[in-house]
């Protein structure tokens, strides 16, 4: 009886996909997939852009319909929302508590009933609501929410402010706290490390490692996936394949399997060619039984068509300039920049050819400001950035609207062609294909 009870509880905490298919036009993302995600495991959904990772997540969250099949989720499943505009008028604490829908609904109804006239029926309903609030640990809700917010780097001074009054990156952190609030049985997290600094990512890693339920994550942060994933659910070959371990483990296993399959296919083709040569040579002779045997062997060895894999190997080459720069790339002298408060003060730096520098620090400390000053897209309040002899600069901004505007050409191909004079179409296609 005890084992049956444990199995029943386990089933209630699992995420199950049954015969899930999804197509966009003629493109099949995944077909007739049946898979279960177990409690105590942390799954990374992997695959290149366009493979269907976010589509699969939206299907599991109920935001998009599958072509066929159904999804079964635990009763309490936390979702990482991206629609920060919907929460602008709520305080940060309220936004987090909303993560427990049953508790939040009970709190709203209780407050509404207290504002109206009291009656026996209202009193009875209030008693029921108090039971729900107690059952959901509602009397400790604010304290629990504050602990989550503080842990992820949102200072207490922000907790009672409206979401629309705090920086955008902190709003996304609050939505992450919303997803993990209320002791959910499962978590679905799409790009949870966006807008997090290194300290907050470390906090999230530890939280997820100690989480007892089922975790499904989409992230482009390879190091984060290596740190937290116990399995990778890779979307490829129009299905979902589970690989044990983190992202690097999955890539290694996947490429090894593919290489082995391709090698076996080549070996079969070579053997078939030898058998066909025998059949052609002796087909009209006296060795009929041997020919028949070879023909049966050819039929048996006929390789199945290998489904195309979405394994991609991006390649970036940085060509050497015709004129090499000098030894000094940048010289920064007494740089100052302030917004509401000083961000960079009396900053001095020399960057030499060959240096590779990582800029780190908590959000709001001026990392992006420093790069924009170096790139020349932002003017300092004081000081100067001196660029070295023959230095050619490329700048990749944090947000695309800094380099892409509505007035730019409509297609990716046309936009890229406008970036450089004298480039031919094949060069553009080559660069796009590599990435």
């Amino acid at each position: 009886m005890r084992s049956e009870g444990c199995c029943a509880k386990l089933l209630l905490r699992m995420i199950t996909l049954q015969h899930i298919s999804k197509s966009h036009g003629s493109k099949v993302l995944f077909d007739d997939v049946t898979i279960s995600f177990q409690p105590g495991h942390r799954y990374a959904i992997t695959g290149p852009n366009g493979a269907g990772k976010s589509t699969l997540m939206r299907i599991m969250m109920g935001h998009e319909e599958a072509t066929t099949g159904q999804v079964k989720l635990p009763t309490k499943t936390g979702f990482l929302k991206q629609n920060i505009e919907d929460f602008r008028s709520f305080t940060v604490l309220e936004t987090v508590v909303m993560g427990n829908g049953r508790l939040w609904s009970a709190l709203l109804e209780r407050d509404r009933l207290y504002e109206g006239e009291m009656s026996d029926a209202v009193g009875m309903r209030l008693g029921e609501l108090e039971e729900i609030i107690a059952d959901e640990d509602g009397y400790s809700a604010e304290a629990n929410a504050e602990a989550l917010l503080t842990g992820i780097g949102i200072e207490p001074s922000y907790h009672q402010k409206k979401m629309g009054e705090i920086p955008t990156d902190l709003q996304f952190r609050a939505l992450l706290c919303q997803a993990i609030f209320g002791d959910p049985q499962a978590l679905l997290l799409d790009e949870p490390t966006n807008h997090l600094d290194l300290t907050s990512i470390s906090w999230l890693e530890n939280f997820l490692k100690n989480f007892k339920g089922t975790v499904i994550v989409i992230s482009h942060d390879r190091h984060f996936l290596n740190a937290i994933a116990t399995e990778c659910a890779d979307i490829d070959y129009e299905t979902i394949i589970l690989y044990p371990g983190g992202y690097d483990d999955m890539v290694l296993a996947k490429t090894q399997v593919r290489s082995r399959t391709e090698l076996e296919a080549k070996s079969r083709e070579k053997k078939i060619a030898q058998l066909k040569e025998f059949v052609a040579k002796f087909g009209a002779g006296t060795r009929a039984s041997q020919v028949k045997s070879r023909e049966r062997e050819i039929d048996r060895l006929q390789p199945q068509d290998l489904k195309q894999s979405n394994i991609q190997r991006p390649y970036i080459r940085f060509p050497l300039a015709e004129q090499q720069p000098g030894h000094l790339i940048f010289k920064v002298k007494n740089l100052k920049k302030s917004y509401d408060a000083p961000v960079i003060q009396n900053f001095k730096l020399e960057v030499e050819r060959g240096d590779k520098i990582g800029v780190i620090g908590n959000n709001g400390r001026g990392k992006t400001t420093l790069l924009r000053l170096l790139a020349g897209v932002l003017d300092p309040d004081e000081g100067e950035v001196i660029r070295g002899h023959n230095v050619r600069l490329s700048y990749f901004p944090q947000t695309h609207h800094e380099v892409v505007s509505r007035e730019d050409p409509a297609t990716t191909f046309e936009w890229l062609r406008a970036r450089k004079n004298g480039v031919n179409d094949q060069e553009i296609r080559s660069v796009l294909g590599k990435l």
Side-chain angles (χ1 to χ4, degrees):
M1 290 295 292
R2 180 177 295 177
S3 62
E4 289 179 4
C6 291
C7 289
K9 286 183 179 179
L10 188 67
L11 288 171
L12 289 173
R13 295 166 59 197
M14 285 170 50
I15 295 176
T16 304
L17 311 185
Q18 296 178 332
H19 305 292
I20 292 291
S21 300
K22 184 65 179 182
S23 302
H24 287 311
S26 61
K27 181 179 181 181
V28 178
L29 297 179
F30 29 85
D31 182 44
D32 196 29
V33 172
T34 296
I35 190 171
S36 294
F37 299 100
Q38 306 286 342
H41 295 246
R42 300 180 295 276
Y43 301 88
I45 300 180
T46 59
N49 288 341
K53 301 187 296 296
S54 292
T55 298
L56 179 64
M57 185 72 84
R58 288 195 297 271
I59 290 172
M60 287 191 283
M61 294 170 69
H63 296 165
E64 186 171 335
E65 289 188 5
T67 306
T68 64
Q70 61 179 339
V71 177
K72 292 184 178 180
L73 297 176
T75 306
K76 295 179 72 173
T77 301
F79 306 123
L80 176 56
K81 300 180 176 69
Q82 306 289 343
N83 51 329
I84 58 174
E85 290 298 318
D86 292 349
F87 301 94
R88 288 183 61 83
S89 60
F90 295 97
T91 69
V92 174
L93 274 177
E94 288 171 339
T95 300
V96 175
V97 175
M98 285 180 191
N100 185 335
R102 184 168 181 252
L103 171 61
W104 180 248
S105 296
L107 291 171
L108 288 181
E109 186 179 354
R110 183 188 67 176
D111 293 345
R112 180 176 57 81
L113 290 176
Y114 274 125
E115 291 175 358
E117 294 185 7
M118 191 61 63
S119 65
D120 290 344
V122 169
M124 290 286 291
R125 181 55 183 162
L126 284 170
E128 293 171 358
L129 292 172
E130 294 294 347
E131 288 184 11
I132 293 173
I133 293 168
D135 188 47
E136 296 295 333
D137 198 20
Y139 302 113
S140 302
E142 285 200 0
N144 294 335
E146 287 173 350
L148 287 176
L149 289 166
T150 302
I152 210 164
I154 301 179
E155 298 294 331
S157 58
Y158 287 115
H159 294 181
Q160 294 296 342
K161 288 188 175 182
K162 302 286 188 184
M163 286 279 282
E165 298 173 352
I166 70 172
T168 303
D169 63 304
L170 297 187
Q171 293 182 51
F172 279 108
R173 294 196 206 185
L175 290 182
L176 179 56
C177 291
Q178 180 191 82
I180 60 185
F181 176 79
D183 195 23
Q185 297 159 315
L187 288 171
L188 301 179
L189 307 176
D190 191 351
E191 296 291 355
T193 60
N194 284 358
H195 309 284
L196 298 187
D197 55 29
L198 295 176
T199 302
S200 299
I201 291 174
S202 178
W203 178 90
L204 180 61
E205 287 177 4
N206 290 329
F207 177 89
L208 294 178
K209 287 176 182 177
N210 291 314
F211 183 71
K212 303 301 182 185
T214 307
V215 178
I216 300 180
V217 175
I218 297 174
S219 177
H220 285 90
D221 186 337
R222 176 171 61 92
H223 301 286
F224 175 72
L225 295 183
N226 283 331
I228 65 106
T230 57
E231 282 99 353
C232 287
D234 188 62
I235 301 176
D236 201 357
Y237 306 105
E238 299 178 0
T239 189
I240 299 173
I241 304 170
L242 281 181
Y243 295 90
Y247 180 81
D248 288 347
D249 298 319
M250 181 277 298
V251 171
L252 179 61
K254 181 177 178 177
T255 52
Q256 286 177 341
V257 169
R258 182 71 184 187
S259 297
R260 189 161 56 246
T261 303
E262 291 174 348
L263 192 64
E264 288 173 356
K266 288 180 180 179
S267 177
R268 282 170 177 257
E269 289 172 1
K270 184 178 179 180
K271 180 66 174 176
I272 288 170
Q274 293 171 345
L275 293 170
K276 284 182 175 179
E277 184 180 346
F278 183 92
V279 170
K281 187 174 182 179
F282 299 106
T286 59
R287 304 170 71 173
S289 62
Q290 291 179 332
V291 169
K292 286 289 184 185
S293 173
R294 299 302 194 277
E295 288 175 340
R296 286 194 295 271
E297 184 71 1
I298 289 172
D299 291 338
R300 187 183 69 81
L301 288 173
Q302 284 296 339
Q304 298 290 323
D305 289 337
L306 282 176
K307 284 189 176 180
Q308 185 174 354
S309 173
N310 61 25
I311 294 175
Q312 295 183 357
R313 297 176 178 85
Y315 170 68
I316 303 173
R317 180 174 64 89
F318 295 101
L320 294 175
E322 293 180 4
Q323 293 182 312
Q324 286 292 297
H327 181 70
L328 190 66
I329 303 298
F330 283 117
K331 186 171 185 177
V332 180
K333 299 172 65 176
N334 301 319
L335 208 62
K336 290 186 180 181
K337 187 65 183 178
S338 299
Y339 295 105
D340 295 332
V343 177
I344 297 173
Q345 296 189 79
N346 299 321
F347 182 68
K348 299 176 184 178
L349 175 69
E350 288 189 358
V351 180
E352 298 178 353
R353 188 176 64 228
D355 286 348
K356 297 175 179 63
I357 300 172
V359 182
I360 62 173
N362 290 339
N363 288 348
R365 299 297 185 185
K367 301 186 297 297
T368 300
T369 296
L370 177 60
L371 260 63
R372 296 184 75 202
L373 290 167
L374 293 176
V377 299
L378 184 66
D379 293 327
D381 298 335
E382 295 181 26
E384 59 180 332
V385 176
I386 303 170
R387 196 177 300 179
H389 179 66
N390 280 340
V391 171
R392 293 178 58 194
L393 181 71
S394 288
Y395 172 57
F396 184 69
Q398 190 174 36
T399 53
H400 69 269
H401 68 258
E402 291 189 44
V403 290
V404 181
S405 70
R406 293 182 182 276
E407 291 74 31
D408 280 328
T411 69
T412 306
F413 187 89
E414 291 168 347
W415 181 87
L416 199 58
R417 179 160 53 189
R419 299 306 101 193
K420 185 178 179 181
N421 294 327
V423 65
N424 62 51
D425 289 359
Q426 184 53 45
E427 288 179 276
I428 298 171
R429 292 191 182 95
S430 176
V431 170
L432 290 172
K434 288 170 184 174
L435 290 169

